[in-house]
Amino acid sequence: MNVYDFDKTIYLDDSSIDFYKFNLKRNPKLIKYWPRQSKAALDYKRKKITKTEMKTIFYEYFKAIDDIDQDFWEVHRSKLQEWYLVQKEETDVIVSASPEFFLKPICEELGVFLIASDVDKFTGKNLQENCYGYEKVVRFKEHFDINDIEDFYSDSYSDDPLAMHAKRSFMVEGSKIKPW
């Protein structure tokens, strides 16, 4: 099986940021969350809070969205990388730090298995550790044998823990793919 990170790998940008912008455009009042989100980002950078805590604060804006299951993917499907769509297989697994509920519709459309962060779509609260770094290995092992990874693709060395288990790993930079 082939395993992929999602954001900035098979999706050109960060889908969580695009989702935030998408919702902000529809509801400019969401800007009221910006000071708290900015502080959380700074606190994370200064190692005062964990990535999971920072993301929970960032996602608090979900509370103010009336229809969280919007047509985001209708607008943003075009950001899926062409190289991925050409090589996609039914046995592919996407492992992402983005919220599972949010990526689920596009992964179902693609017909691939999804492992992602378990986030409450009504409160923004992370219900488990953010699916990032070594946590991706932990989550993957809940569903599959870690030794079954043929090829692994990501845009970030934060995915080293998962890349180490693949027979071959690749770094994705835009539409360029090179050996890890």
Side-chain angles (χ1 to χ4, degrees):
M1 81 179 60
N2 296 325
V3 179
Y4 300 82
D5 176 44
F6 188 77
D7 294 319
K8 298 182 183 176
T9 301
I10 66 171
Y11 182 82
L12 278 171
D13 294 312
D14 184 317
S15 62
S16 292
I17 298 299
D18 282 355
F19 189 63
Y20 177 68
K21 290 176 186 176
F22 175 81
N23 283 295
L24 190 58
K25 198 182 279 187
R26 289 177 170 218
N27 182 358
K29 291 180 182 176
L30 294 178
I31 199 73
K32 72 181 182 182
Y33 291 92
W34 185 243
R36 191 159 152 73
Q37 291 167 327
S38 298
K39 183 181 180 316
L42 246 146
D43 287 347
Y44 171 69
K45 198 170 199 148
R46 294 177 179 156
K47 301 185 186 314
K48 290 182 177 181
I49 62 174
T50 67
K51 188 175 227 25
T52 301
E53 291 168 324
M54 183 268 297
K55 288 225 173 170
T56 292
I57 292 167
F58 179 78
Y59 294 141
E60 284 178 350
Y61 80 92
F62 291 174
K63 297 175 193 174
I65 300 174
D66 294 330
D67 182 15
I68 196 98
D69 298 316
Q70 302 166 6
D71 54 351
F72 174 84
W73 289 112
E74 294 296 319
V75 176
H76 290 83
R77 180 181 293 107
S78 62
K79 286 191 170 188
L80 294 173
Q81 296 265 34
E82 185 64 30
W83 65 263
Y84 173 71
L85 297 174
V86 168
Q87 74 182 38
K88 180 184 77 63
E89 297 178 8
E90 290 179 3
T91 57
D92 288 351
V93 177
I94 292 175
V95 185
S96 177
S98 290
E100 179 182 22
F101 79 86
F102 167 67
L103 294 182
K104 191 174 183 180
I106 196 68
C107 288
E108 286 177 349
E109 182 180 314
L110 292 169
V112 298
F113 194 88
L114 172 65
I115 299 169
S117 293
D118 189 8
V119 178
D120 185 303
K121 70 180 184 178
F122 301 108
T123 66
K125 183 175 176 19
N126 275 271
L127 304 176
Q128 290 181 283
E129 190 67 28
N130 187 54
C131 191
Y132 175 83
Y134 187 75
E135 185 65 19
K136 287 187 176 186
V137 173
V138 171
R139 300 283 183 85
F140 187 87
K141 286 179 174 180
E142 291 174 3
H143 301 279
F144 302 102
D145 183 332
I146 197 75
N147 298 310
D148 288 346
I149 303 173
E150 292 292 324
D151 293 342
F152 177 72
Y153 297 81
S154 176
D155 70 303
S156 173
Y157 287 116
S158 67
D159 285 329
D160 267 342
L162 201 50
M164 289 177 12
H165 294 283
K167 291 175 182 66
R168 291 171 302 277
S169 295
F170 301 93
M171 180 60 67
V172 178
E173 293 175 358
S175 60
K176 295 178 183 162
I177 301 168
K178 60 184 184 178
W180 198 266

